[in-house]
Amino acid sequence: MEQHLNTPVEPLSILPGRPVHDLVTSMGGTSFQARNLARGVEIWSNMLKDELTIFLGLAGAMIPAGMRQVMVYLIENRLIDCLVSTGANLFHDLHESLGKFHWKGSASSDDRELANSKIYRIYDVLASEKEFDDSEQFATNFFNGLEQDQTYTTREFFFLLGKELSRQGTKEGILTAAAKANLPIYCPALGDSVFGTALAAARVKDGNRIHIDIVKDVVEVIQIASAGPSAVIFIGGGTPKNFIQQAELCGYIFDKELKGHKYAIQITTDSPHWGGLSGCTFDEARSWGKIAPDAAAVTINCDATIALPIMVSAISEASAEAISNRKRPAFLLGKDITIL
Amino acid sequence: MEQHLNTPVEPLSILPGRPVHDLVTSMGGTSFQARNLARGVEIWSNMLKDELTIFLGLAGAMIPAGMRQVMVYLIENRLIDCLVSTGANLFHDLHESLGKFHWKGSASSDDRELANSKIYRIYDVLASEKEFDDSEQFATNFFNGLEQDQTYTTREFFFLLGKELSRQGTKEGILTAAAKANLPIYCPALGDSVFGTALAAARVKDGNRIHIDIVKDVVEVIQIASAGPSAVIFIGGGTPKNFIQQAELCGYIFDKELKGHKYAIQITTDSPHWGGLSGCTFDEARSWGKIAPDAAAVTINCDATIALPIMVSAISEASAEAISNRKRPAFLLGKDITIL
Amino acid sequence: MEQHLNTPVEPLSILPGRPVHDLVTSMGGTSFQARNLARGVEIWSNMLKDELTIFLGLAGAMIPAGMRQVMVYLIENRLIDCLVSTGANLFHDLHESLGKFHWKGSASSDDRELANSKIYRIYDVLASEKEFDDSEQFATNFFNGLEQDQTYTTREFFFLLGKELSRQGTKEGILTAAAKANLPIYCPALGDSVFGTALAAARVKDGNRIHIDIVKDVVEVIQIASAGPSAVIFIGGGTPKNFIQQAELCGYIFDKELKGHKYAIQITTDSPHWGGLSGCTFDEARSWGKIAPDAAAVTINCDATIALPIMVSAISEASAEAISNRKRPAFLLGKDITIL
Amino acid sequence: MEQHLNTPVEPLSILPGRPVHDLVTSMGGTSFQARNLARGVEIWSNMLKDELTIFLGLAGAMIPAGMRQVMVYLIENRLIDCLVSTGANLFHDLHESLGKFHWKGSASSDDRELANSKIYRIYDVLASEKEFDDSEQFATNFFNGLEQDQTYTTREFFFLLGKELSRQGTKEGILTAAAKANLPIYCPALGDSVFGTALAAARVKDGNRIHIDIVKDVVEVIQIASAGPSAVIFIGGGTPKNFIQQAELCGYIFDKELKGHKYAIQITTDSPHWGGLSGCTFDEARSWGKIAPDAAAVTINCDATIALPIMVSAISEASAEAISNRKRPAFLLGKDITIL
């Protein structure tokens, strides 16, 4: 019995004016998802002290949810090294970088009335159809301005788009910050987003002849995973989670034997018992070798709009030194990626 | 369109060392559950400035989860006026007040091995069977020490138990703090807890002859709800949520026409689409008149171990003045309750 | 590897006109929750062939959801032996037994408009306030017609109410069928329901002097659990689940050492990771000894309105023989319960 | 009030030996998710009687879950016309078509031990690493056997693969049945699957030079959606859901003004309150014009392993005539798609 009952739960105290990182530390003494949240901060902090590449998988409408600046912070301060995202998050980022807004609305709106007013709804967020069309047109024009009869990885494409947005945009976003930081962004389902429909329109209407080389995307992510130890942070599941996980199984392509990610954090609202990959446990990932047998891993069952700002706020203060001293893997991004 | 698109989502910034209440204010500019969390803090703050009785319904294993001190803070600083709880939370509170612990464990323990070691598991928390038995025996003894051939409301019972624990216990808990503050506690399913099995043991083994007057419990809660405007905070659902809600429908017993609770907050991990009361919306509650037609109401879909400490930490600082200036409804608790 | 990979998943075939029990058998060859559903049918069928007492815990608004006849079937054919229920289900059962209806509505109704029309909403079900008031008045009158200055267990109360409804009602329901079958019903949170508010009204308005003996409720359920082997079926969580589970820990009151329920099925929409009892696994229950170390147990993550009719339909055909040959524990219900 | 209370909930009866379609009809008289399930069957049946194109979006590990034959039934009997799927489902389908198995396992396996035994786990399903490698090699070989220096849509690729599997495989699957039926399959995130890693290996190791034309995929789906009225069925969310939805917004590419899908069904375990697209309501989709203002739409909150076999079993019997009489949109699939 003694081997089990050795660390008491420590009831959390309410202290007015308490800084976020201090509250999170206290959560480490509690249970359930608060303990997991604190564990997530601890694991992320340990990642920052280690020498490795940190992948972040981003799913869910995080930009309409007000998380653009959090993502910019992660990129600028290099709390992550490689981003894999849904296309929607990157389109919404482009939209805000161009100085346009997402708007506060209500989840119980009259959607037929919104449709008549040409307003799109994303849960409790609204967007103007006209403004979204303008942003889509920006993307179409950008595609048409690229050198034709070429293939582009999504990484190349978003690097170039980030550069362009740095010139034309008015706000710092994921794409602009990543382009400045030479931080690679991959989008495994580019076609499944406004970028996809913009490309389709450019192809059909304007005779655009560029191609997206999705095979090279896969190759590059495996290359990055094969270059050294790695860690993963998943905000939601979807294609980003699997795309990062599968890379760890493919070291053989570069004659490497990979041992699974060393650290793993996921913030999810999905559950394992539905059997899907988005909600699966890191234990399941261990059976595949995606995660190392002894990886430090935690699942935080919480809406990312709550968990992510708290975790990053806590780390920004408590791991300030680790952040500034961190050995960051470097990538030379041009037509080809080189890991320095 | 203009009537819809008037308040932009404001991306949240990461500021190292930021106090909790400031981060929560920023969450108010975002979306999804972070916005709801901030709205919950705003509504609770408005409750504190109003003149009314604040009910709190408490379900879920919040004490093993490390929330005892948060509850004590709420009681001592009178952020709530009347508590309705499951029996388990109050038993676990008694356990910790007596100086015993809940212990940190793992959700993926070997439960057969734990059973052999006489250890109970509550998700990622462990408890000693022996220590729980001791606490149950404390309850049994307490029941046997009460004047026999009497009826007790759960409110009377917990008031007396709180007094006793103030003498014998070593830690401040819900029961001791509430007894000192004359804050009434009701437990609509007392039999469904260790208090119930302790009473059963006392009846069968020791010939205990006390009775719990559950009808008077119902009467008193209706009386409190009928005394003036009210607000509700639900941590989880279960019997506490319904017990508080139903009171608002029964003003007729005291010839009052009640208008529904004026403010309503719920922190829940349940969903409306299963049709149960625990996950139902406050809109549904409006159809019944449990909630006033124009009540300020918010549902926060989040584990309470995360949401509650953040909300209370934020309020403790941002509403410090409202807390100290608050007009608190007073109850004279003895054999009969009197609302002053 | 061979010890793991020995039973292939068998893809389910679509066969027009297939009977329910046959489809469920096929689900046994699949995975995820369909496999659990089939396992639930298998375990329930095994319960029926064994000699034991089957407890059913009922939470969630199952009667407005159209499950009254399913419950009647379970009682009349004795697929269960003892029912522990929320008060709401029993009140809704009374309502329908009296010939009144729950009505089909929409989950996206205008609740303020419903309130004005004096209509209550339960997700996608509606009820008339006036008709509910009439049913509550029926309950109040029934309480006033009982012999005064007496204590009643909830089991006695619902037995007498079932008898009365058999005389006055027009539809067969849980209460009438259970009274005829001498099947005991317990309600651990009677006060938390219309029965509670009806009792409160009777007490205040009419001077009603009856008492509900919740301690004897606990004693009796422990007595039934102590009489021999037992099995549990939980539809939802809440007080019924815990009330049944805790009994298995209290054999000592009758100098019995209980070994935990032999079979366990739960249909739930809750998840373990929130830490509460409603969503907890049967593995967790094993650590307490509520469930036997080698108990056959399954959790089915599904809305009970889907899972329950399918399971019971399947059992009604596939286990017809076991049902008619079953050795049923008998209770002699009067002022005192006797287990024959 | 009368306008609200006009259709009573009809309690469902248990009838031994009842066929599935008859039970589902009874569920239509109940509430909560059972009513939604019955409504889904009704809407799907109405789709079959209408003249339109039925899209099905498939996410979640449905093949390891034993749903391959259900999918084959849908394709062969043309209850759907165009499939959009995750890559994983199609790889698992290839695996089974080649005569290999997924195996029954337990969700609480020891994953480190499984890793040592070279066994992969998908919730309660197991797979042999060696056999998965063989299937991946089959895919790599197939890629290497394709004409090089060409681009392929995922539709072309899966059509050719289906043809090849019809020759080499031993079981009928999604890919073989679709190839025979000229039913187009799209995979918006091909790179995010074993097909992606097989392509990466072929590129790096074997100098494979084929390209996947994801832009043409988007163009074609818009083309199909623009050809006439359409209906959607979503099993899970993810890329398939959005990929189908977005097509309805892009009719302008072919100078068509689309009015939104006419019918919509989704089976999901996600919830709207997390703000993501996978869990969003069809009302939200209406604001975008993805769904027609008056579209018949229903969300069924249920594990698809339960809901899908029941729904398809019910339709196979109750809509047998509509199925055989259905006017099916025809596609001429070769190097280019033509809708007849």
Side-chain angles (χ1 to χ4, degrees):
Chain A
M1 191 166 96
E2 286 68 23
Q3 83 271 30
H4 291 295
L5 307 183
N6 42 38
T7 313
V9 170
E10 291 171 53
L12 179 149
S13 296
I14 297 299
L15 304 173
R18 198 173 202 182
V20 174
H21 69 279
D22 191 50
L23 179 65
V24 170
T25 302
S26 281
M27 284 179 170
T30 69
S31 313
F32 305 173
Q33 298 309 317
R35 191 197 295 171
N36 288 342
L37 186 79
R39 178 82 178 125
V41 167
E42 189 189 356
I43 293 177
W44 201 335
S45 299
N46 288 340
M47 288 182 195
L48 296 171
K49 290 178 211 142
D50 204 343
E51 292 187 30
L52 43 65
T53 302
I54 305 176
F55 288 96
L56 186 134
L58 185 69
M62 288 294 104
I63 308 307
M67 297 295 121
R68 179 172 50 84
Q69 296 279 27
V70 178
M71 292 305 302
V72 168
Y73 177 89
L74 293 180
I75 292 167
E76 289 184 340
N77 293 277
R78 206 56 182 262
L79 276 74
I80 62 172
D81 300 309
C82 177
L83 175 65
V84 180
S85 176
T86 62
N89 274 312
L90 301 175
F91 174 72
H92 297 145
D93 180 73
L94 170 150
H95 188 69
E96 292 197 359
S97 290
L98 289 173
K100 286 169 219 144
F101 296 105
H102 294 96
W103 305 86
K104 294 170 88 169
S106 158
S108 53
S109 302
D110 178 336
D111 288 295
R112 288 181 183 83
E113 206 266 302
L114 290 181
N116 287 338
S117 303
K118 298 197 175 302
I119 291 174
Y120 293 160
R121 183 167 71 84
I122 301 169
Y123 193 57
D124 59 0
V125 177
L126 304 176
S128 154
E129 181 181 325
K130 169 69 174 63
E131 287 179 1
F132 261 31
D133 284 350
D134 291 347
S135 293
E136 179 165 9
Q137 191 58 52
F138 181 92
T140 305
N141 294 344
F142 176 75
F143 284 121
N144 287 337
L146 288 176
E147 203 172 330
Q148 299 295 300
D149 298 309
Q150 294 263 349
T151 63
Y152 296 84
T153 58
T154 59
R155 192 255 315 154
E156 286 165 339
F157 163 60
F158 285 115
F159 178 69
L160 296 172
L161 181 58
K163 290 284 186 202
E164 182 67 19
L165 278 172
S166 297
R167 283 186 289 270
Q168 293 201 39
T170 61
K171 299 266 181 62
E172 194 76 281
I174 294 175
L175 293 171
T176 56
K180 287 170 192 160
N182 276 341
L183 185 147
I185 297 175
Y186 294 93
C187 179
L190 189 75
D192 173 42
S193 71
V194 173
F195 294 115
T197 59
L199 270 167
R203 175 84 65 94
V204 174
K205 293 281 193 192
D206 310 322
N208 188 294
R209 298 182 313 278
I210 68 171
H211 278 278
I212 302 296
D213 187 350
I214 62 164
V215 182
K216 190 143 180 263
D217 270 14
V218 181
V219 170
E220 284 189 10
V221 171
I222 296 170
Q223 207 177 345
I224 295 173
S226 301
S230 57
V232 296
I233 299 160
F234 300 128
I235 300 170
T239 55
K241 180 178 177 182
N242 186 62
F243 199 67
I244 293 170
Q245 300 267 52
Q246 72 180 12
E248 202 65 18
L249 301 181
C250 298
Y252 73 93
I253 292 179
F254 295 104
D255 303 315
K256 297 272 178 69
E257 200 176 331
L258 305 185
K259 305 205 165 95
H261 302 296
K262 273 184 79 172
Y263 304 84
I265 299 168
Q266 62 181 339
I267 304 172
T268 183
T269 55
D270 202 348
S271 292
H273 48 254
W274 310 121
L277 192 96
S278 291
C280 81
T281 64
F282 283 124
D283 281 325
E284 179 174 319
R286 272 186 238 275
S287 77
W288 294 72
K290 298 165 180 171
I291 298 295
D294 59 347
V298 72
T299 298
I300 302 152
N301 296 100
C302 188
D303 191 328
T305 59
I306 292 177
L308 188 66
I310 293 172
M311 292 173 68
V312 180
S313 292
I315 293 167
S316 72
E317 175 71 17
S319 297
E321 204 181 308
I323 292 170
S324 47
N325 294 344
R326 185 175 177 232
K327 296 211 178 178
R328 306 165 182 200
F331 309 96
L332 201 60
L333 305 171
K335 194 62 194 161
D336 277 295
I337 196 171
T338 306
I339 301 169
L340 299 177
Chain B
M1 191 167 95
E2 286 69 22
Q3 83 272 29
H4 291 295
L5 306 183
N6 42 38
T7 313
V9 170
E10 290 172 52
L12 178 149
S13 297
I14 297 299
L15 305 173
R18 199 174 201 181
V20 175
H21 68 279
D22 192 49
L23 179 65
V24 170
T25 301
S26 280
M27 284 180 171
T30 69
S31 313
F32 306 172
Q33 298 309 317
R35 190 196 296 170
N36 288 343
L37 186 78
R39 177 82 177 123
V41 168
E42 190 189 356
I43 292 176
W44 201 335
S45 299
N46 288 339
M47 287 182 195
L48 297 171
K49 291 178 210 142
D50 204 344
E51 292 186 29
L52 43 64
T53 301
I54 305 177
F55 289 95
L56 186 134
L58 185 70
M62 289 293 104
I63 307 307
M67 297 296 121
R68 178 172 50 85
Q69 295 279 27
V70 178
M71 291 306 302
V72 168
Y73 177 89
L74 293 179
I75 292 166
E76 289 184 339
N77 294 278
R78 206 54 184 264
L79 276 73
I80 62 171
D81 301 308
C82 178
L83 175 65
V84 180
S85 176
T86 61
N89 274 311
L90 301 175
F91 174 73
H92 297 145
D93 179 74
L94 171 150
H95 188 69
E96 292 198 359
S97 290
L98 289 173
K100 285 169 220 144
F101 296 105
H102 294 95
W103 305 86
K104 292 170 89 169
S106 158
S108 53
S109 303
D110 178 337
D111 289 295
R112 287 180 184 84
E113 206 266 300
L114 290 181
N116 287 335
S117 302
K118 299 198 175 301
I119 291 173
Y120 293 160
R121 183 168 70 83
I122 301 170
Y123 193 56
D124 59 0
V125 178
L126 304 175
S128 154
E129 181 181 325
K130 168 71 174 62
E131 288 179 1
F132 261 32
D133 284 351
D134 291 347
S135 293
E136 179 164 8
Q137 191 59 51
F138 181 93
T140 306
N141 294 346
F142 176 75
F143 284 121
N144 288 336
L146 288 176
E147 202 171 334
Q148 299 294 299
D149 298 309
Q150 293 263 350
T151 63
Y152 295 84
T153 58
T154 61
R155 193 254 316 153
E156 285 164 340
F157 163 60
F158 285 114
F159 178 68
L160 297 172
L161 180 57
K163 291 283 186 202
E164 181 67 18
L165 279 172
S166 297
R167 282 186 290 270
Q168 294 200 39
T170 61
K171 298 268 180 62
E172 193 76 280
I174 294 175
L175 293 171
T176 56
K180 287 169 192 161
N182 277 340
L183 185 146
I185 296 177
Y186 295 93
C187 179
L190 188 77
D192 172 41
S193 72
V194 173
F195 294 114
T197 59
L199 271 167
R203 175 84 64 96
V204 173
K205 292 282 193 192
D206 309 322
N208 187 295
R209 298 182 312 278
I210 67 170
H211 279 277
I212 302 296
D213 186 351
I214 62 164
V215 182
K216 189 142 181 262
D217 270 14
V218 182
V219 170
E220 284 189 8
V221 171
I222 296 170
Q223 205 178 345
I224 296 173
S226 302
S230 56
V232 296
I233 299 161
F234 300 128
I235 300 170
T239 54
K241 180 177 176 182
N242 187 63
F243 199 68
I244 294 170
Q245 299 269 53
Q246 73 181 10
E248 202 64 20
L249 302 180
C250 298
Y252 73 92
I253 292 179
F254 295 104
D255 302 315
K256 296 273 177 67
E257 199 175 333
L258 304 185
K259 305 204 164 95
H261 302 296
K262 272 185 80 173
Y263 304 85
I265 299 168
Q266 63 181 338
I267 304 172
T268 183
T269 55
D270 200 348
S271 293
H273 48 254
W274 309 122
L277 192 95
S278 291
C280 80
T281 63
F282 282 125
D283 280 325
E284 180 173 320
R286 273 185 238 275
S287 77
W288 293 73
K290 298 166 181 172
I291 299 295
D294 59 347
V298 72
T299 297
I300 302 153
N301 296 100
C302 189
D303 190 327
T305 60
I306 292 177
L308 188 65
I310 293 172
M311 290 173 70
V312 180
S313 294
I315 292 167
S316 73
E317 175 71 18
S319 296
E321 204 181 310
I323 292 170
S324 47
N325 294 343
R326 186 176 175 232
K327 296 211 178 177
R328 307 166 181 197
F331 308 96
L332 200 61
L333 305 172
K335 195 62 196 160
D336 277 295
I337 197 171
T338 306
I339 300 169
L340 299 178
Chain C
M1 192 167 96
E2 286 69 22
Q3 83 271 30
H4 291 296
L5 307 182
N6 42 37
T7 313
V9 170
E10 291 172 53
L12 179 149
S13 296
I14 298 300
L15 304 174
R18 196 174 204 181
V20 174
H21 69 279
D22 191 50
L23 179 65
V24 170
T25 301
S26 280
M27 285 180 169
T30 69
S31 312
F32 305 172
Q33 297 309 317
R35 190 196 296 169
N36 288 342
L37 185 78
R39 177 82 178 124
V41 167
E42 190 189 355
I43 293 177
W44 201 334
S45 299
N46 288 340
M47 288 182 195
L48 296 171
K49 291 178 210 142
D50 205 343
E51 292 186 30
L52 42 65
T53 302
I54 304 178
F55 288 96
L56 186 134
L58 185 69
M62 289 294 103
I63 307 308
M67 297 296 122
R68 178 171 51 83
Q69 296 279 27
V70 178
M71 293 305 303
V72 168
Y73 177 89
L74 293 180
I75 291 167
E76 289 183 339
N77 294 278
R78 205 56 183 261
L79 277 74
I80 62 171
D81 300 310
C82 177
L83 174 65
V84 180
S85 175
T86 61
N89 275 312
L90 301 175
F91 174 73
H92 297 145
D93 179 74
L94 171 150
H95 187 70
E96 292 197 358
S97 289
L98 289 173
K100 286 169 218 145
F101 296 105
H102 294 96
W103 305 87
K104 292 170 90 169
S106 157
S108 53
S109 303
D110 177 337
D111 288 296
R112 287 180 183 85
E113 206 266 302
L114 290 181
N116 287 337
S117 302
K118 297 196 175 302
I119 292 173
Y120 293 160
R121 183 167 71 83
I122 300 169
Y123 193 57
D124 58 1
V125 177
L126 304 177
S128 154
E129 182 181 324
K130 169 70 173 61
E131 287 179 1
F132 261 31
D133 284 351
D134 290 347
S135 293
E136 180 165 7
Q137 190 60 49
F138 181 93
T140 306
N141 294 345
F142 176 75
F143 285 121
N144 288 337
L146 289 176
E147 204 172 329
Q148 300 294 300
D149 299 309
Q150 294 262 351
T151 62
Y152 296 84
T153 58
T154 60
R155 193 254 316 154
E156 286 165 338
F157 163 60
F158 285 116
F159 178 68
L160 297 172
L161 181 58
K163 291 282 186 203
E164 181 67 19
L165 279 172
S166 297
R167 282 186 289 270
Q168 294 201 37
T170 61
K171 300 266 181 63
E172 192 76 280
I174 294 175
L175 293 171
T176 57
K180 287 169 192 162
N182 276 341
L183 185 146
I185 296 176
Y186 294 93
C187 179
L190 188 77
D192 172 42
S193 72
V194 173
F195 294 113
T197 58
L199 271 167
R203 174 85 64 95
V204 173
K205 293 282 194 191
D206 310 321
N208 187 295
R209 298 181 312 278
I210 69 171
H211 279 277
I212 302 296
D213 186 350
I214 62 165
V215 182
K216 189 142 181 264
D217 269 14
V218 182
V219 170
E220 284 189 9
V221 171
I222 296 170
Q223 205 177 346
I224 296 173
S226 301
S230 57
V232 296
I233 299 161
F234 300 128
I235 300 170
T239 55
K241 180 178 177 183
N242 187 62
F243 198 68
I244 294 169
Q245 300 268 53
Q246 72 181 12
E248 202 63 20
L249 302 181
C250 298
Y252 72 94
I253 291 179
F254 295 103
D255 302 316
K256 296 272 177 68
E257 198 175 332
L258 305 184
K259 305 206 165 91
H261 302 296
K262 272 183 80 172
Y263 304 85
I265 299 169
Q266 63 182 338
I267 304 172
T268 182
T269 55
D270 201 348
S271 292
H273 48 254
W274 309 121
L277 191 96
S278 291
C280 80
T281 64
F282 282 125
D283 280 325
E284 180 173 318
R286 273 185 238 274
S287 78
W288 293 73
K290 297 166 181 172
I291 298 295
D294 59 347
V298 71
T299 297
I300 301 153
N301 296 100
C302 188
D303 191 328
T305 59
I306 292 176
L308 187 66
I310 293 172
M311 292 172 69
V312 180
S313 293
I315 293 168
S316 72
E317 175 70 18
S319 296
E321 203 181 309
I323 291 170
S324 47
N325 294 344
R326 186 176 176 232
K327 296 210 179 178
R328 308 166 180 197
F331 308 96
L332 200 61
L333 304 172
K335 194 63 194 161
D336 276 296
I337 196 171
T338 306
I339 301 170
L340 299 178
Chain D
M1 193 167 94
E2 287 68 23
Q3 83 271 29
H4 291 295
L5 305 183
N6 42 38
T7 313
V9 170
E10 290 172 53
L12 179 149
S13 297
I14 297 299
L15 306 173
R18 198 174 202 181
V20 175
H21 68 278
D22 191 50
L23 179 65
V24 170
T25 301
S26 280
M27 284 180 169
T30 69
S31 313
F32 305 173
Q33 298 309 317
R35 190 197 296 171
N36 288 342
L37 186 78
R39 177 82 178 125
V41 168
E42 189 189 357
I43 292 177
W44 201 334
S45 299
N46 288 339
M47 287 183 196
L48 296 172
K49 291 179 210 142
D50 204 344
E51 292 186 30
L52 43 64
T53 302
I54 305 177
F55 288 95
L56 186 134
L58 186 69
M62 288 294 103
I63 308 307
M67 298 295 121
R68 178 171 51 83
Q69 296 278 28
V70 178
M71 292 305 304
V72 168
Y73 178 89
L74 293 180
I75 292 167
E76 290 184 339
N77 294 277
R78 207 53 183 264
L79 277 74
I80 63 171
D81 301 308
C82 178
L83 174 65
V84 180
S85 176
T86 62
N89 274 312
L90 301 175
F91 174 73
H92 297 145
D93 180 73
L94 171 150
H95 187 70
E96 293 197 359
S97 290
L98 289 173
K100 285 169 220 144
F101 296 105
H102 294 95
W103 305 86
K104 292 170 90 168
S106 157
S108 53
S109 303
D110 178 336
D111 289 296
R112 286 180 184 85
E113 207 266 300
L114 290 181
N116 287 337
S117 303
K118 299 198 175 301
I119 292 173
Y120 294 160
R121 183 168 69 84
I122 300 169
Y123 193 57
D124 58 1
V125 178
L126 304 176
S128 154
E129 182 181 325
K130 169 70 174 62
E131 288 179 359
F132 261 32
D133 285 351
D134 291 346
S135 293
E136 179 163 8
Q137 191 59 52
F138 181 93
T140 306
N141 295 345
F142 176 75
F143 285 122
N144 288 336
L146 289 175
E147 204 172 331
Q148 299 295 299
D149 299 309
Q150 293 262 351
T151 63
Y152 295 85
T153 58
T154 60
R155 192 252 319 151
E156 285 165 340
F157 164 61
F158 285 115
F159 178 69
L160 296 172
L161 181 56
K163 291 283 186 202
E164 182 66 18
L165 279 172
S166 297
R167 282 185 290 269
Q168 293 200 38
T170 62
K171 299 268 180 62
E172 193 77 278
I174 293 175
L175 293 171
T176 56
K180 287 169 192 161
N182 277 340
L183 185 148
I185 297 176
Y186 294 93
C187 179
L190 188 76
D192 171 43
S193 72
V194 173
F195 295 113
T197 59
L199 272 167
R203 174 85 62 95
V204 173
K205 293 283 193 190
D206 310 322
N208 187 294
R209 299 182 310 279
I210 68 170
H211 278 278
I212 302 297
D213 187 350
I214 62 165
V215 181
K216 189 141 180 265
D217 269 14
V218 181
V219 170
E220 284 189 9
V221 171
I222 296 170
Q223 206 178 345
I224 296 173
S226 301
S230 57
V232 296
I233 300 161
F234 300 128
I235 300 170
T239 55
K241 180 177 177 183
N242 187 61
F243 199 68
I244 294 170
Q245 300 267 52
Q246 72 181 11
E248 202 64 21
L249 302 180
C250 298
Y252 73 93
I253 292 179
F254 295 104
D255 303 315
K256 296 272 177 68
E257 199 175 331
L258 305 184
K259 304 204 164 94
H261 302 296
K262 270 184 81 173
Y263 304 84
I265 299 168
Q266 63 181 339
I267 304 172
T268 183
T269 55
D270 202 348
S271 293
H273 48 254
W274 309 121
L277 192 95
S278 290
C280 80
T281 64
F282 283 126
D283 281 325
E284 181 174 318
R286 273 186 238 274
S287 77
W288 293 73
K290 297 166 181 172
I291 298 296
D294 58 348
V298 71
T299 297
I300 302 153
N301 296 99
C302 188
D303 191 328
T305 60
I306 292 176
L308 188 65
I310 293 172
M311 291 172 70
V312 180
S313 293
I315 292 168
S316 73
E317 175 71 17
S319 297
E321 203 181 309
I323 292 170
S324 46
N325 295 342
R326 187 176 174 231
K327 296 210 178 180
R328 307 165 181 197
F331 309 96
L332 200 60
L333 303 172
K335 195 62 197 160
D336 278 295
I337 196 171
T338 306
I339 301 170
L340 299 178

